[in-house]
Amino acid sequence: MKRYARKPAALTLLAFAAACGATFIHGQSRAGDQNAAEQALSPDDARTNYRELAANCLHDLQSDPYNREIRLRAGSFLALAGDPDPFYSFVRDLVYSDARLAVDLLDRAECRTYLTQPRFVALQAEARAQSMD
């Protein structure tokens, strides 16, 4: 029986593990750079970005109006945009079309700041009542 040297196989495995580790570390450092870039945005820039994202979601809703995920994203982006009037009209329409989704949306963290206003509290109560039916 012929015996083969195990050193080349071990070195290949070690080199592969080092390459995988370097790729992972490089990917983590890039993710950290992206988070730092997002944190560097001013609040006005962030609101503008959220408005654009909400507009894109609303455009997508025109082609698929019953997609719950897109409606939830649109509501979240409208809430994060910081303008209560478009968010209120979106949620008001949502209460009558999908009350359970409206309840879920108003229970999210990004929507809690609006629940200090009486009109949103009344809208949340209406959504809860509609979702019970």
Side-chain angles (χ1 to χ4, degrees):
M1 176 191 244
K2 188 172 184 175
R3 298 189 68 178
Y4 294 98
R6 295 180 184 241
K7 288 182 184 177
L11 290 176
T12 303
L13 184 61
L14 184 64
F16 179 72
C20 289
T23 303
F24 178 74
I25 291 171
H26 180 68
Q28 292 295 323
S29 67
R30 290 188 63 144
D33 293 343
Q34 289 173 350
N35 289 338
E38 289 174 2
Q39 290 173 355
L41 288 176
S42 71
D44 292 333
D45 291 339
R47 286 189 181 122
T48 302
N49 288 343
Y50 287 130
R51 283 187 191 114
E52 290 173 7
L53 290 170
N56 289 339
C57 286
L58 292 174
H59 178 72
D60 291 344
L61 275 176
Q62 291 176 352
S63 63
D64 189 9
Y66 299 108
N67 190 329
R68 286 178 59 93
E69 184 177 335
I70 294 175
R71 286 198 270 174
L72 188 63
R73 284 184 189 169
S76 294
F77 291 142
L78 283 170
L80 290 168
D83 194 7
D85 294 330
F87 178 63
Y88 179 79
S89 64
F90 179 80
V91 175
R92 185 187 61 219
D93 294 340
L94 195 59
V95 165
Y96 297 111
S97 63
D98 189 357
R100 185 68 213 152
L101 184 63
V103 170
D104 292 343
L105 180 63
L106 288 172
D107 286 340
R108 293 175 65 101
E110 59 263 22
C111 302
R112 289 189 187 134
T113 58
Y114 293 105
L115 293 176
T116 59
Q117 299 178 17
R119 63 180 177 163
F120 283 101
V121 173
L123 193 62
Q124 184 181 35
E126 177 68 24
R128 288 179 195 258
Q130 290 286 334
S131 69
M132 293 294 180
D133 293 338

